[in-house]
Amino acid sequence: MTMRKSKSPYLILAIDTSCDETSVAVTRDDWVLANVVASQVNFHREYGGVVPNLAKRKHLEFIGPAIKEALWRAHLKSIDQVDSLAVTVGPGLAPALEVGVKTAKNLALKYKKPLITINHMEGHLLSSLAKNSQGNRGVKFQFPVLGLLVSGGHTQLVLANGFGDYLILGETRDDAAGEAFDKVAKMLDLGYPGGPILTEMAKKGKPKYDLPVPMEKKPGLDFSFSGLKTACLYFLKDIDLSKKPRQFYYDFAASFQYVVAQALIIRLQRALKKYPVKQLFLGGGVINNVYIRQQIRKTAKEFKTETHIPYTDKMLSDNAAMISVAAYYQAKRGDFVKDIKSIDRLPGLCF
Ligand code: KG4
Ligand code: ZN
């Protein structure tokens, strides 16, 4: 770590290619000037999930135009005008991460800019700090704070004692919550990604089917969603879906959504009992689910804890603005890459 103090205002161009979104953002301090997200979801849909090498190919195709677009939206002419580059090094899909990491390295070397490497989950955790020029001011962390990060790859409860000082209190032992949404939607032949589809269906249904709440009686703060997935598989095994009315799908989606929310809030209650913090920060694609979000908010309120989400739902799902904001706080600590040539993607990176 070099002790290079960042100046203010500080311009960062950040890249995230951790999964199936090619994203490039430009921030001035913690203000978002541009947040370009080129989604590949239409290319992966026919395979029912993200295909790593297809993701790599699409990242290679999209990254150049996404950088140009982000610079243009931020009213910048060249990368020369930014102070630093930042990139997600992990966790994520190795072939996908590789594109962003190589691009950021090459640009940092070409333009002689410092480089900041970011953990994708830190980006989700800090996403609520982002501000924008339309009057969205973000929030300030009053440490210690809790983070509940619920995405397609992770389900984590994190205690943050300061910027860069994170402790994972609990995480999934198998599937992530978003992954469970996607797999259950696949069982019902509903398409990919399953989260938004099931969420829409659940709005029209009632949670009348009895599915097990994952790890309901198990102590601790870890999550597990593979048992719920298996329970859904058994439940649906003897059912001829072609004979079922749409209302069956709606009610099943509502029942599934209900138990996922229960699994999250049981752990959240435990965490808040043990760590009675003032603020809870949410991140990850599954938080787009308004029912789950409301249940979390309600639970936190019972503990007099405020719940925060980013100023736009776009920043809950994968995006580079959250990476750029995390990089700004890292730059303030003077934490830059020492030897740019030596960095590599870290697909299994932990907090
Ligand atoms: O955070 P994210 O964009 O990417 C990862 O880092 O994984 O999360 C993607 C996940 C997918 O599993 C997707 O199905 C889920 O978030 N998701 C949702 C909703 N929108 C996206 N899950 C539940 N309800 C939603 N509305
Ligand atoms: Zn993510």
Side-chain angles (χ1 to χ4, degrees), residues 16 18-19 91 120-121 124 151-154 283-285 316-319 322:
D16 183 286
S18 56
C19 192
H120 180 81
M121 298 313 291
H124 278 303
S151 71
H154 292 84
L316 287 168
S317 301
D318 288 351
N319 70 92
M322 66 184 193

Side-chain angles (χ1 to χ4, degrees), residues 117-143:
T117 53
I118 296 292
N119 178 319
H120 180 81
M121 298 313 291
E122 186 186 13
H124 278 303
L125 177 65
L126 302 192
S127 56
S128 301
L129 297 176
K131 302 170 185 166
N132 79 353
S133 53
Q134 277 90 55
N136 294 297
R137 288 301 151 98
V139 268
K140 281 208 167 74
F141 272 23
Q142 296 167 43
F143 293 112

Side-chain angles (χ1 to χ4, degrees), residues 120 124 151-153 178-179 181-182 193-196 199 284-286 288-289 316-318:
H120 180 81
H124 278 303
S151 71
E179 206 175 341
F181 265 96
D182 297 337
T199 296
V286 178
N288 280 296
N289 180 304
L316 287 168
S317 301
D318 288 351

Side-chain angles (χ1 to χ4, degrees), residues 42-321:
N42 289 336
F43 302 96
H44 297 281
R45 188 168 282 128
E46 63 175 294
Y47 303 99
V50 181
V51 182
N53 279 321
L54 174 60
K56 178 179 173 169
R57 271 209 317 279
K58 290 293 159 193
H59 282 312
L60 284 168
E61 190 182 324
F62 294 167
I63 192 79
I67 292 171
K68 268 198 193 139
E69 175 77 17
L71 287 171
W72 183 79
R73 285 194 204 173
H75 304 290
L76 298 179
K77 289 201 172 62
S78 155
I79 290 179
D80 244 341
Q81 292 168 274
V82 305
D83 296 295
S84 276
L85 290 156
V87 67
T88 299
V89 283
L93 296 173
L97 287 165
E98 191 179 302
V99 178
V101 172
K102 275 195 180 153
T103 306
K105 276 168 79 166
N106 290 342
L107 292 174
L109 292 168
K110 180 173 169 194
Y111 290 94
K112 299 190 174 53
K113 299 287 176 187
L115 180 63
I116 302 162
T117 53
I118 296 292
N119 178 319
H120 180 81
M121 298 313 291
E122 186 186 13
H124 278 303
L125 177 65
L126 302 192
S127 56
S128 301
L129 297 176
K131 302 170 185 166
N132 79 353
S133 53
Q134 277 90 55
N136 294 297
R137 288 301 151 98
V139 268
K140 281 208 167 74
F141 272 23
Q142 296 167 43
F143 293 112
V145 302
L146 266 186
L148 179 56
L149 313 177
V150 195
S151 71
H154 292 84
T155 310
Q156 292 181 332
L157 261 167
V158 188
L159 181 71
N161 286 306
F163 289 111
D165 182 0
Y166 310 121
L167 178 70
I168 295 190
L169 304 177
E171 65 184 322
T172 185
R173 295 182 180 175
D174 38 58
D175 292 353
E179 206 175 341
F181 265 96
D182 297 337
K183 286 179 177 166
V184 168
K186 207 170 176 178
M187 285 175 207
L188 293 164
D189 221 3
L190 294 175
Y192 174 84
I197 301 167
L198 283 175
T199 296
E200 277 313 300
M201 292 193 148
K203 285 182 190 161
K204 298 178 197 145
K206 295 224 156 35
K208 58 196 242 187
Y209 299 115
D210 203 11
L211 294 169
V213 175
M215 309 243 289
E216 190 176 14
K217 303 260 153 40
K218 290 240 168 71
L221 295 173
D222 278 347
F223 302 91
S224 163
F225 290 97
S226 77
L228 172 60
K229 185 187 65 188
T230 312
C232 290
L233 199 64
Y234 272 95
F235 185 91
L236 297 169
K237 187 167 64 84
D238 300 321
I239 291 176
D240 183 355
L241 287 172
S242 66
K243 297 211 170 75
K244 287 287 180 193
R246 291 197 78 74
Q247 193 59 43
F248 168 80
Y249 287 83
Y250 300 156
D251 292 338
F252 188 78
S255 310
F256 173 76
Q257 174 186 266
Y258 171 79
V259 291
V260 172
Q262 283 301 110
L264 295 171
I265 63 178
I266 288 171
R267 301 281 170 312
L268 177 62
Q269 281 167 338
R270 281 184 202 155
L272 286 170
K273 240 179 234 166
K274 204 165 167 194
Y275 306 96
V277 297
K278 283 209 190 82
Q279 295 172 311
L280 169 70
F281 290 86
L282 305 182
V286 178
I287 303 297
N288 280 296
N289 180 304
V290 174
Y291 173 77
I292 290 180
R293 198 194 292 184
Q294 281 170 347
Q295 293 303 305
I296 293 173
R297 210 182 267 283
K298 207 170 105 196
T299 305
K301 211 171 164 191
E302 286 160 14
F303 288 83
K304 299 195 168 41
T305 302
E306 296 165 11
T307 303
H308 297 282
I309 55 170
Y311 67 75
T312 163
D313 285 354
K314 180 181 170 187
M315 240 186 269
L316 287 168
S317 301
D318 288 351
N319 70 92

